[in-house]
């Protein structure tokens, strides 16, 4: 087998060769400050505008790309910028009398922000999800009213792959309260699941580069026109004052190249095949295995899946696979604290006998079928050995 079978792409991805090549060229030749008044600086500014237009097209957004797209350091900053940016502009009376809504399976970058506001006295409504990880539209309809300030619902869950029906949810929100800010953390969904911010009536969307074979340290948010937000970072006034600091040009062009990679190849078709293969092989070979999340391929991401294997501890299986050169995870890389452990599995009502045996397998545009095939063989073999050992020590 190859030296490494990397199947933890939901945590991060390897930067594609063309991404690295474009970034190196930028580091060495196009290194000018975009705010400089001379021609090379102006050329860098134009390059940034072109990258913004590419992102706008990818999410089917309309309007001035320069003002609608704001570059950030990644998904966590993006979530904080949009949520805090909207709420911190509200009058104290609005925060005191209003509410904000999210789900119980959000990424910590959203969940912890909501928890912070809850500690400060803001009413937070935590929506439950069903066994596949979906929000019940009726539940949302019952909690959104004229006092709802903001709703944040993750577009694609980073463990289950659940692809929320954002257009349906957006219509409910705006029908109940047109002035409510609708945000989605779409970090795990970007370029993997279709999104149309106009049809979904989304006011803010969070994106990230390193989940799609781009570099770490670069992300972006989409902000609909008409929504003033309070910046997190003040300084030289870059990004129209919404995110000051010299632009990360090399990260931006790397992000742009990653988007092109996912657009120009049959990436999604391959990932669908990979996921089907993993699911079918595991179910046909191992007993007492559950594939978590939606069964309908149209309602889930092809890039990430969680599997629960009864009688096996996920962390032990992870390290057993690691010893054989296969890298998987037991859940979100950003949920390592004990208080957050298995939060998603508990939220969907998974039985305790399966919770401890949950592993996450995820793919990228660079994942090969050989990696998937070899990785699954190792996972199955190690799971079988661990089950035998567990029976032996009983």
């Amino acid at each position: 087998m190859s030296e490494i079978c990397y199947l933890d792409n939901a945590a991060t991805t390897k930067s594609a060769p063309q991404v690295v090549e474009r970034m190196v060229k930028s580091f060495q030749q196009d290194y000018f400050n975009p705010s400089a008044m001379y021609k090379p600086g102006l050329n860098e500014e134009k390059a940034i505008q072109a990258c913004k237009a590419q992102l706008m097209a990818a999410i089917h957004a309309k309007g001035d790309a320069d003002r609608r797209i704001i570059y950030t350091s990644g998904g966590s900053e993006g979530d904080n910028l949009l949520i805090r940016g909207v709420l911190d502009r509200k009058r104290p009376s609005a925060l005191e009398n209003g509410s904000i809504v999210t789900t119980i399976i959000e990424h910590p970058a959203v969940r912890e922000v909501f928890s912070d506001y809850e500690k400060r006295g803001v009413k937070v409504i935590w929506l439950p999800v069903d066994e596949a990880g979906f929000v019940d539209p009726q539940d949302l309809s019952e909690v959104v009213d004229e006092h709802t300030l903001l709703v944040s619902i993750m577009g694609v869950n980073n463990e289950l792959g659940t692809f929320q029906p954002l257009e349906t949810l957006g219509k409910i929100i705006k029908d109940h309260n047109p002035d409510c800010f609708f945000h989605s953390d779409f970090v795990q969904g970007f370029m993997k699941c279709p999104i149309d911010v106009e049809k979904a009536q989304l006011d803010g969307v969070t994106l990230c580069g390193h989940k799609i074979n781009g570099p770490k340290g670069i992300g972006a948010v989409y902000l609909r026109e008409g929504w003033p937000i309070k910046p997190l970072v003040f300084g030289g006034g870059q990004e129209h004052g919404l995110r000051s600091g010299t632009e990360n040009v090399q990260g931006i062009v790397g992000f742009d190249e990653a988007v092109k990679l996912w657009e120009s190849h049959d990436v999604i078709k391959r990932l669908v095949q990979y996921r089907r293969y993993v699911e079918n092989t595991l179910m046909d070979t191992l007993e007492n295995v559950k594939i978590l999340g939606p069964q309908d391929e149209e309602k889930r991401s092809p890039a990430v899946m969680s599997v629960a294997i009864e009688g096996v501890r996920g962390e032990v299986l992870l390290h057993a696979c690691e010893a054989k050169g296969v890298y998987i995870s037991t859940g979100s890389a950003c949920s390592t604290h004990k208080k957050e452990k298995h939060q998603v599995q508990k939220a969907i009502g998974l039985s305790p006998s399966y919770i401890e045996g949950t592993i996450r397998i995820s793919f990228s545009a660079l994942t090969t079928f050989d990696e998937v095939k070899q990785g699954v063989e190792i996972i199955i073999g190690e799971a079988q050995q661990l089950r035998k050992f567990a029976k032996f020590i009983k």
Side-chain angles (χ1 to χ4, degrees), residues 191-194 262 266-280 295-305 363-365 367 369 372:
M191 304 307 299
K192 301 163 187 174
C193 295
W262 281 73
D266 61 342
V267 176
I268 301 303
K269 181 179 179 180
R270 287 193 293 111
L271 299 194
V272 168
Q273 293 172 344
Y274 293 166
R275 178 163 177 165
R276 283 179 190 167
Y277 177 83
V278 172
E279 182 173 331
N280 292 336
Q295 299 304 305
D296 186 341
E297 290 184 348
E298 298 295 320
K299 297 180 179 180
R300 67 189 191 188
S301 168
V304 58
M305 60 186 296
F363 321 107
S364 84
T367 305
F369 179 66
V372 174

Side-chain angles (χ1 to χ4, degrees), residues 10-78:
T12 195
T13 57
K14 180 180 179 180
S15 291
Q18 54 267 55
V19 169
V20 176
E21 181 180 354
R22 186 170 175 189
M23 291 179 69
V24 169
K25 178 179 180 295
S26 181
F27 274 119
Q28 296 178 336
Q29 300 178 26
D30 305 323
Y31 51 82
F32 304 94
N33 192 316
S35 297
M37 296 303 293
Y38 38 77
K39 186 175 180 180
L42 296 175
N43 287 340
E44 291 306 290
E45 183 179 10
K46 290 179 181 178
I48 291 175
Q49 305 314 319
C51 294
K52 287 188 174 186
Q54 168 104 331
L55 287 179
M56 288 281 283
I59 61 174
H60 297 91
K62 298 178 181 179
D64 181 359
D66 183 36
R67 291 182 176 274
R68 303 281 68 80
I69 297 293
I70 306 162
Y71 284 110
T72 67
S73 64
S76 293
E77 183 189 341

Side-chain angles (χ1 to χ4, degrees), residues 118-166:
E118 190 170 43
K119 292 173 185 176
R120 290 153 55 182
V122 178
K123 180 182 179 182
V124 175
I125 299 172
W126 302 91
L127 293 173
V129 294
D130 65 17
E131 66 278 1
F134 288 108
V135 172
D136 186 336
Q138 184 60 37
D139 288 345
L140 179 65
S141 180
E142 291 175 358
V143 300
V144 176
D145 59 26
E146 67 272 19
H147 300 296
T148 308
L149 305 174
L150 180 146
V151 175
S152 182
I153 297 176
M154 178 185 275
V156 173
N157 184 262
N158 55 331
E159 295 189 39
L160 305 173
T162 306
F163 181 23
Q164 299 288 350
L166 294 176

Side-chain angles (χ1 to χ4, degrees), residues 101-126:
V101 180
T102 192
T103 79
I104 61 175
I105 60 169
E106 294 296 310
H107 186 278
V110 170
R111 189 170 66 244
E112 293 303 314
V113 176
F114 272 75
S115 294
D116 180 58
Y117 280 102
E118 190 170 43
K119 292 173 185 176
R120 290 153 55 182
V122 178
K123 180 182 179 182
V124 175
I125 299 172
W126 302 91

Side-chain angles (χ1 to χ4, degrees), residues 84-105:
R84 292 190 183 279
V86 169
L87 296 179
D88 287 355
R89 283 186 60 94
K90 299 292 183 182
R91 295 176 181 175
S93 59
L95 292 174
E96 182 179 347
N97 299 318
S99 66
I100 53 179
V101 180
T102 192
T103 79
I104 61 175
I105 60 169

